[in-house]
Amino acid sequence: MGFIEAIGGILLILGLNTRITSFFILVTMFITIAFRPWDDTWSIVPTFFFFCISLFFMGFGSGKFGLDYFITKRM
């Protein structure tokens, strides 16, 4: 799971395979939210934020700001 977070983050920054990468990050964050012990701290908030961001990118893609756009535009 650490591999997906590290490589997936780099791919999201570059905008490569955005929807596929977002799906794997979404699954990772969902598992973290579901199986993490809940306590009275705010430490779940970053995980939920990454979950929402990956859900957004999975639905909309990277748009004109990612390398996916330039690769598909050329073909």
Side-chain angles (χ1 to χ4, degrees):
M1 289 202 322
F3 177 77
I4 289 178
E5 290 182 31
I7 300 300
I10 292 170
L11 289 174
L12 281 181
I13 289 171
L14 295 174
L16 287 172
N17 295 328
T18 305
R19 293 184 176 176
I20 297 168
T21 304
S22 295
F23 172 75
F24 287 119
I25 291 176
L26 180 86
V27 169
T28 304
M29 293 299 122
F30 177 76
I31 290 170
T32 304
I33 291 170
F35 292 107
R36 185 183 179 282
W38 289 76
D39 51 4
D40 292 334
T41 63
W42 286 83
S43 60
I44 198 71
V45 174
T47 305
F48 184 71
F49 176 73
F50 290 132
F51 177 81
C52 293
I53 292 297
S54 63
L55 188 64
F56 174 81
F57 279 122
M58 194 173 75
F60 293 108
S62 62
K64 294 183 180 181
F65 299 108
L67 292 178
D68 283 340
Y69 176 75
F70 294 110
I71 291 171
T72 57
K73 184 179 173 184
R74 228 190 295 168
M75 292 181 175

